[in-house]
Amino acid sequence: MASVQHNSQSPDHGTRHGADGHTAADTGAAARRDRAVRAAVEQGLITATEPVVALFDVAGIRSSAAALHSAFEEVTAPGTPVLHAFAVKAAPLVPLLRLLSEHGIGAEVASPGELALARAAGIGAGRTVLDSPAKTPAELREAVALGIAVNADNPQELERIDALVRSGPASSPFGLRVNPQIGAGSIGALSTATATSKFGVALRDEGARAWVVQAYLDRPWLTRLHTHSGSQGVPLELMAQGVRTVYELAEEINAAAGRAQIDTLDIGGGLPVNFASDEETPTYATYARLLKDTVPGLLDGRYGLVTEFGRSLVAKHGTVLARVEYAKTSGGRPIAVTHAGAQIATRTVYDPVSWPLRVAAYDPEGHPKTGPAVAQDVAGPACFAGDLLAENRSLPLLEQDDLVAALDTGAYYFTNHYAYNSLVRPGVHGFTAAPGGVRFALLRAPQTVEEIVTESGGAYVDALLDD
């Protein structure tokens, strides 16, 4: 916990300990979560004035990082260089990036902001990869100056890199992203390898493959090849098919060059997450073994590897805890009005079919709530009717001052705030469940209304008035 604990600045939100009757550390994720909820109540992290809080299970994150390393070590030839780069967009928090870095995970960044976060976390240039479909000349110059690996998205971007390479020595490894155009998964908006995807060079378009081969032959310094075919809703077999397509292209380019010009394949991330239960499936081991069966040459030591997993490293280890402010009925259906809605669970609120969340009920003291299951809505605080965490969900009947936990929210939820109604961002805490109790460490302080005013132009209140 030391790697995140030192980020706490406030005596009111720093490291907290609390005995909770346990004499040994729980190992199961659900048991750790229940302990953390109870401790959050006991230690005043969630109150009437702080009615929503976000929690990260540090033990779970460490376990996922270890599982990722182990899975690829099992299938790669000894000595194969492998960089696992966390997709910062999944959870852009500096202390979390620092924790992952301490466990051998680098950073995949897609904006100047994400790069700044990775650098603040102490992640070096050699463990950072820049991807984005819209890099500016300034972003490219910064990356090259720092020696960060860059994956070009398209021919125009490659021309910009040409100019940078001509202008002086560049230590950055350079690659090109290609779209294998293998098809979509069950969530179209997240499918990056469709025929018309905005990402990369569309490999099956007329003349595109020949152009890619020639682009490498013309640029001896172009030594990487990148694809990202996976995401939530994409089956593993389709992901592996995309990787195989890129591996075959690398073999073709190296044969045409008469040497091993491409020395590293960046296979992206996109391992889907199970949002239906506490089970962590599919596993990294399952995916790695599938790659070994589907693309054995990828793992025989001739190519270095880069992965860019994000959601799968942290999603299962995040929980949003919110108080029930009011309990009411409408049309005969119970409704629990909470402080967690669209501002936190944006994807779930706007696309609940693709992004359903599990919800757990706790009493005001933080104990799991019992009682007959009742179909009810769990609503958020935003001022539109569709702001629902769960609709017609069977749970023990929620009452005023009870607590609702939105589970599996560690990626793309409370770290990716949506400022609807100018609702404040919740505080984020990491927790460890030790024999002596649950310990919390502040990762991001709760936003204040004063900060909202500042962000919303408070310093320029008279800017539109006549002189």
Side-chain angles (χ1 to χ4, degrees):
M1 193 71 169
S3 60
V4 291
Q5 179 182 331
H6 72 274
N7 289 281
S8 296
Q9 300 295 325
S10 165
D12 293 328
H13 292 282
T15 303
R16 304 169 185 237
H17 302 262
D20 56 5
H22 288 255
T23 58
D26 288 308
T27 56
R32 292 195 303 268
R33 181 175 63 240
D34 286 349
R35 292 183 63 191
V37 170
R38 174 72 184 277
V41 175
E42 292 176 341
Q43 298 180 39
L45 268 65
I46 186 162
T47 65
T49 55
E50 294 284 350
V52 60
V53 68
L55 307 176
F56 262 125
D57 180 359
V58 176
I61 294 169
R62 287 174 170 159
S63 177
S64 287
L68 175 57
H69 284 299
S70 176
F72 278 82
E73 287 167 0
E74 181 183 326
V75 299
T76 53
T80 300
V82 179
L83 170 64
H84 297 296
F86 176 69
V88 173
K89 58 185 169 288
L93 291 175
V94 171
L96 177 65
L97 302 180
R98 181 61 175 270
L99 174 65
L100 290 168
S101 179
E102 291 296 306
H103 289 272
I105 307 292
E108 184 265 339
V109 301
S111 71
E114 289 182 359
L115 175 56
L117 295 177
R119 296 187 70 192
I123 299 173
R127 299 170 61 225
T128 304
V129 180
L130 174 62
D131 291 315
S132 164
K135 305 180 196 71
T136 66
E139 289 177 64
L140 292 170
R141 285 194 298 271
E142 180 182 26
V144 171
L146 293 172
I148 288 169
V150 178
N151 289 320
D153 179 81
N154 55 70
Q156 295 170 56
E157 186 178 329
L158 199 53
E159 290 174 1
R160 288 179 173 178
I161 295 173
D162 284 339
L164 290 172
V165 172
R166 286 194 300 266
S167 68
S171 60
S172 292
F174 294 105
L176 178 67
R177 179 170 183 168
V178 298
N179 171 14
Q181 295 175 292
I182 55 174
S186 62
I187 304 176
L190 292 190
S191 296
T192 59
T194 61
T196 57
S197 171
K198 72 178 185 179
F199 293 103
V201 176
L203 197 56
R204 296 184 182 180
D205 282 14
E206 184 176 356
R209 191 180 190 97
W211 180 88
V212 170
V213 173
Q214 190 61 48
Y216 276 83
L217 297 181
D218 292 342
R219 298 167 175 84
W221 43 265
L222 201 55
T223 60
R224 293 187 171 191
L225 190 61
H226 170 48
T227 192
H228 177 85
S229 301
S231 198
Q232 190 67 22
V234 176
L236 298 191
E237 293 75 15
L238 199 62
M239 292 173 61
Q241 182 182 335
V243 173
R244 182 177 62 194
T245 299
V246 171
Y247 163 78
E248 291 169 349
L249 177 60
E251 293 282 277
E252 180 180 341
I253 292 169
N254 284 347
R259 64 187 182 92
Q261 177 174 338
I262 296 177
D263 59 26
T264 301
L265 295 178
D266 183 334
I267 63 173
L271 192 74
V273 168
N274 165 34
F275 287 96
S277 74
D278 280 321
E279 184 181 5
E280 292 187 45
T281 181
T283 66
Y284 292 120
T286 298
Y287 181 49
R289 287 192 291 266
L290 178 62
L291 289 176
K292 188 174 181 64
D293 292 339
T294 307
V295 203
L298 172 74
L299 307 169
D300 63 11
R302 291 179 297 120
Y303 293 99
L305 291 180
V306 177
T307 72
E308 301 176 359
F309 296 104
R311 177 185 294 105
S312 56
L313 275 165
V314 295
K316 302 293 291 182
H317 312 308
T319 299
V320 174
L321 189 63
R323 289 180 71 251
V324 176
E325 194 67 44
Y326 300 111
K328 56 193 291 186
T329 60
S330 184
R333 181 183 296 174
I335 303 172
V337 181
T338 79
H339 291 273
Q343 87 280 24
I344 285 171
T346 313
R347 286 177 168 175
T348 293
V349 168
Y350 284 110
D351 187 4
V353 174
S354 298
W355 299 100
L357 279 178
R358 293 187 295 144
V359 173
Y362 294 84
D363 68 20
E365 287 72 44
H367 298 288
K369 189 156 189 178
T370 58
V374 176
Q376 57 198 297
D377 291 350
V378 181
C383 289
F384 67 97
D387 184 32
L388 302 173
L389 279 182
E391 186 174 5
N392 204 24
R393 186 74 57 86
S394 292
L395 295 164
L397 184 63
L398 290 163
E399 301 170 285
Q400 189 174 36
D401 297 330
D402 280 344
L403 301 172
V404 166
L407 311 183
D408 308 326
T409 48
Y412 300 105
Y413 280 92
F414 53 76
T415 54
N416 303 70
H417 188 73
Y418 174 39
Y420 198 99
N421 281 151
S422 296
L423 293 163
V424 297
R425 293 188 298 268
V428 181
H429 301 258
F431 72 86
T432 55
V438 175
R439 180 176 65 171
F440 293 101
L442 183 67
L443 309 187
R444 185 186 71 195
Q447 189 181 29
T448 66
V449 292
E450 292 78 14
E451 288 170 331
I452 288 179
V453 172
T454 298
E455 290 181 1
S456 301
Y460 313 105
V461 62
D462 295 329
L464 299 179
L465 301 183
D466 293 335
D467 292 336

